[in-house]
Amino acid sequence: MAAAASVTPGESINLVATAYGPSLKDNYPYGPVDYYGNPLKAGDVAVDPSVIPLGTRLYVTGYSSPLLPAGGLCAVAVDTGGAIKGDRIDLYINAPDSQVSTFGIQNVKVTVVGAGATCSSKGSNSSVSNGNSGSSN
């Protein structure tokens, strides 16, 4: 069952994550392109649009993979997948199939990044900022 019909900025949900790469096996029959036909790139993720709308910016944490930034991944929901239904997310990793498959199945925390917020995936310094400088205006 889906976590929510629509997520809101700042909301966090727990999802089951898998990974996919550029191989035809992972992207049959269209090849390594997203839902919109654009080439897949780091930070692209596949979601169930009834849970997370396409185009939503996300911050993904809780995974363990040397192929992804330590501490968290800034991502954009730009793809869907036949097996990505309900509380699932598929993280794109631009690596050979033999490496991508080591990700396995993991539980992750996904936070919706709101408009005006910034997301930074720089090693262990990954973070999300709401764009406020502390003023209460």
Side-chain angles (χ1 to χ4, degrees):
M1 178 168 224
S6 183
V7 291
T8 58
E11 181 180 354
S12 294
I13 56 175
N14 295 314
L15 300 177
V16 175
T18 49
Y20 69 117
S23 73
L24 186 58
K25 174 184 83 75
D26 285 345
N27 299 284
Y28 186 80
Y30 305 106
V33 295
D34 66 22
Y35 179 83
Y36 302 103
N38 299 311
L40 289 166
K41 60 187 178 308
D44 288 349
V45 296
V47 298
D48 179 342
S50 72
V51 177
I52 298 173
L54 290 173
T56 303
R57 294 179 355 181
L58 307 166
Y59 185 63
V60 183
T61 59
Y63 57 78
S64 175
S65 173
L67 301 171
L68 295 170
L73 172 70
C74 295
V76 181
V78 294
D79 207 3
T80 61
I84 307 306
K85 304 290 184 223
D87 296 344
R88 298 283 309 270
I89 188 168
D90 210 5
L91 312 177
Y92 177 75
I93 298 175
N94 189 16
D97 212 28
S98 60
Q99 292 178 6
V100 173
S101 65
T102 64
F103 185 88
I105 300 171
Q106 301 185 36
N107 294 312
V108 297
K109 179 179 176 181
V110 176
T111 302
V112 177
V113 179
T118 57
C119 184
S120 172
S121 290
K122 294 185 177 152
S124 60
N125 297 325
S126 300
S127 63
V128 176
S129 169
N130 66 9
N132 291 337
S133 60
S135 73
S136 57
N137 299 14

